[in-house]
Amino acid sequence: MIAAIAGVVSSIVLWLAAASLALVFKVAPEQAPAFVSILKITALILPIAFVGLIAEGALKGFEEYGWLRLTEVGGSVLYVASIYLAVWQNAAFEWIAYAYLAAMVAKYLVLALVIHLAVRGTPLRFCRWTSGSRQDVAYRSWLMFNNRIAGTLQQAIIPLLIGALYGPVEVGAFDLLTRLPRFLKTTMSPLYSAILPISTHLDEKTDVRRLQLLGRNGLVLPAAVIIPILVVIGLFSENILKVWVGAEHADQWPWLALALFVPAVSVMLGAGQTALMVRSDFLRINTRFLYLQVLTQYIVTAIAAVWLRERAFILGWVVSYILFAPLIAHRMLSFMSLPNSLFWQQLGRQMMVAAILAAMAASYKMYSEPTTLPALFVVGTIACIAAWALSITLILSRTDRAMVGKFARAMSQR
C-alpha cells in the first residue's frame, strides 16, 4: 500500500512537472515534445516500478535468486536488442527510452507472476499487523527510506544535475563513461545475494558461526570472481571504447577505468552489508556512513567541477567509495566478530593479481592491439581465464576453493 501510494504521488508530480523539466534541462525546442512524452510515459509506469520493488524484496525472502538474476540480465539483453532494432529501423531517439521502460515493465510483470506462484503453495496470507510489528516495520522502513534517499543523491540524481548545470551533451558523456560500470554493478550484484543463503545451508553451526561464514564468504568469494574481471576491463578500456563508440571517445578511457572502482568496492562489501541489513543497529550506522559518503562525493565534485565539468561527478563518485570502503568494512567485520585484517588481506591479494594482469596486458599491447569486436572478445576471454587462474591461485585459500566447489554443486541443484 505504501509503495503504491508513493508511486502514484511520484507519478502525478512527474506528469505535472514534465514541461518545466524540459526547460530546466535545456532541451532543444524541436526535441521538447518527445522529451515531455518520455517523462509522461515514465510517470504512468512509476506505480508499477514502486510495487515491483516490493516484488523483488519478497522474492529475496523466498530465495528465488535465479529469477532475480534472470529478469535483471534478461531485461538488459532485451533493452540492448531493442536499441539495435531501433537503430536498424532509423527510429526516433525517444523509442530507445520507450524500449527501456517496456523492458522494466516486462521484468516486474514476470516477477509478479513468480511471486504469485511462490505464495500460492504457502500458508502466507494478508493479515492485520500487531502494534509491536507496526512499530518495528515503521522504524526499519524509515531507516531504509533514508538509505534510499542517500542512494538517490549518490547516483540517480547526478545526470539531472549535469543536465541542469551543463546540458544534454555532457549528460551523454557522463552516461557513456559510467554506463558499463553501472551495468556491471547491477548485473553482478545478485551473485553475492545468491551466495548468502547457499553458504548458510552448507555450513550452518550456530548463529555466530553462521554470520561469520556469511561475512567471510561474502567478502572473499564474489570479489575473487568479479574483481579480476573488472581489472581486465579496465586494462582494455581504451580498446573497448574504440570498438564500442569509436576512436573519437577513446581518449576518455581513464575515466571509464576509474569508474570501475565502484562495482569493485560494491561487490567486495555488498554481501556482508546485505547479511547485516536485518540488524537495525548496523543499518542505522551504515546509513550514516552513506550520507557522509554522499557529502564527500559532492565536496570533491564541487572542487573539481571547474576543471573537469561532468567528469568531476565521476571523480567524486569514485573517491567517496574508495575513502569509505575501509570504514564500512571495519564496522561490518566488527558486527560479524571477524578480524579487520581480513579486508586488508584480501585487498592486498587483489592488488597483487591486478599488478600481474597489468604487466601481462602491457606486454601484449607492445606487439598487438585488439581493434575489432571478435579480436577484443578473444583477447578478453583469454585475459579473463588468466585472471581467474591467478585469483584461484593467489586469492583463494584451499578452504575457499573447496567452498567454491560446494557452491557450484549447491547451485546446480537449485
Side-chain angles (χ1 to χ4, degrees):
M1 181 65 70
I2 296 173
I5 293 173
V8 170
V9 171
S10 301
S11 176
I12 294 172
V13 171
L14 182 58
W15 182 283
L16 296 177
S20 300
L21 289 173
L23 297 176
V24 171
F25 297 136
K26 305 171 185 175
V27 179
E30 65 274 11
Q31 296 177 342
F35 181 80
V36 171
S37 176
I38 292 171
L39 292 182
K40 289 187 174 182
I41 297 296
T42 303
L44 294 175
I45 291 173
L46 277 179
I48 299 175
F50 272 80
V51 176
L53 294 175
I54 304 299
E56 287 186 358
L59 280 176
K60 289 178 181 178
F62 282 104
E63 297 184 6
E64 293 287 349
Y65 296 102
W67 280 106
L68 289 172
R69 290 192 297 272
L70 178 63
T71 53
E72 192 68 49
V73 176
S76 298
V77 171
L78 181 63
Y79 174 51
V80 172
S82 301
I83 292 175
Y84 277 105
L85 181 62
V87 172
W88 182 49
Q89 295 292 332
N90 293 319
F93 77 93
E94 60 265 28
W95 284 100
I96 295 177
Y98 297 150
Y100 173 78
L101 296 173
M104 183 173 64
V105 170
K107 180 184 79 169
Y108 287 133
L109 289 177
V110 171
L111 293 181
L113 177 61
V114 175
I115 279 290
H116 173 71
L117 296 176
V119 172
R120 190 173 58 179
T122 70
L124 294 176
R125 296 296 182 269
F126 289 106
C127 63
R128 189 179 298 275
W129 288 348
T130 63
S131 176
S133 297
R134 187 182 301 110
Q135 292 176 2
D136 183 61
V137 170
Y139 178 64
R140 293 175 182 274
S141 297
W142 174 249
L143 292 176
M144 290 300 297
F145 174 75
N146 278 278
N147 194 279
R148 284 288 183 178
I149 292 296
T152 300
L153 294 173
Q154 188 178 47
Q155 185 171 337
I157 202 173
I158 298 301
L160 303 181
L161 294 177
I162 295 174
L165 291 173
Y166 303 115
V169 174
E170 285 77 7
V171 174
F174 174 83
D175 184 74
L176 170 67
L177 296 173
T178 59
R179 171 64 62 181
L180 183 58
R182 285 185 286 125
F183 172 77
L184 293 172
K185 184 173 181 287
T186 300
T187 55
M188 291 178 175
S189 59
L191 176 62
Y192 55 71
S193 297
I195 284 177
L196 299 180
I198 295 174
S199 60
T200 303
H201 298 320
L202 288 174
D203 287 292
E204 185 175 358
K205 304 295 182 185
T206 65
D207 287 341
V208 175
R209 177 62 175 163
R210 171 191 177 188
L211 191 59
Q212 289 178 335
L213 282 170
L214 290 176
R216 193 187 185 284
N217 292 337
L219 180 70
V220 175
L221 299 184
V225 174
I226 293 173
I227 292 181
I229 306 307
L230 295 176
V231 172
V232 171
I233 295 173
L235 293 172
F236 289 94
S237 54
E238 183 178 6
N239 307 99
I240 291 172
L241 285 177
K242 285 180 179 179
V243 173
W244 183 19
V245 293
E248 63 273 14
H249 297 289
D251 60 337
Q252 301 295 318
W253 70 267
W255 295 101
L256 172 59
L258 185 66
L260 292 170
F261 276 96
V262 172
V265 172
S266 297
V267 79
M268 200 167 188
L269 302 181
Q273 289 177 304
T274 303
L276 291 171
M277 281 298 167
V278 296
R279 298 185 55 171
S280 58
D281 49 352
F282 173 80
L283 185 58
R284 183 177 61 254
I285 294 172
N286 196 59
T287 302
R288 290 176 183 172
F289 275 134
L290 187 55
Y291 272 108
L292 290 173
Q293 187 174 333
V294 171
L295 179 61
T296 303
Q297 175 181 344
Y298 279 80
I299 290 174
V300 173
T301 300
I303 293 173
V306 177
W307 300 281
L308 300 177
R309 293 173 64 83
E310 76 279 357
R311 290 167 295 177
F313 288 88
I314 300 176
L315 181 65
W317 189 38
V318 173
V319 168
S320 67
Y321 265 80
I322 294 174
L323 287 180
F324 279 85
L327 300 176
I328 295 173
H330 173 70
R331 182 62 62 180
M332 181 182 75
L333 294 171
S334 296
F335 270 85
M336 295 177 171
S337 301
L338 290 170
N340 189 43
S341 59
L342 178 62
F343 171 77
W344 297 107
Q345 178 190 72
Q346 294 302 311
L347 182 62
R349 292 178 179 178
Q350 293 286 356
M351 292 178 65
M352 184 189 307
V353 170
I356 296 173
L357 289 172
M360 293 170 61
S363 300
Y364 165 75
K365 289 184 177 182
M366 291 176 61
Y367 301 98
S368 180
E369 290 274 357
T371 57
T372 63
L373 182 59
L376 186 61
F377 177 79
V378 171
V379 172
T381 300
I382 295 173
C384 287
I385 293 173
W388 279 325
L390 289 171
S391 180
I392 292 172
T393 305
L394 301 177
I395 296 177
L396 298 181
S397 65
R398 181 178 300 177
T399 304
D400 295 329
R401 290 193 286 270
M403 183 62 71
V404 170
K406 292 181 180 180
F407 284 156
R409 287 192 296 271
M411 292 185 73
S412 65
Q413 297 169 3
R414 289 171 69 84

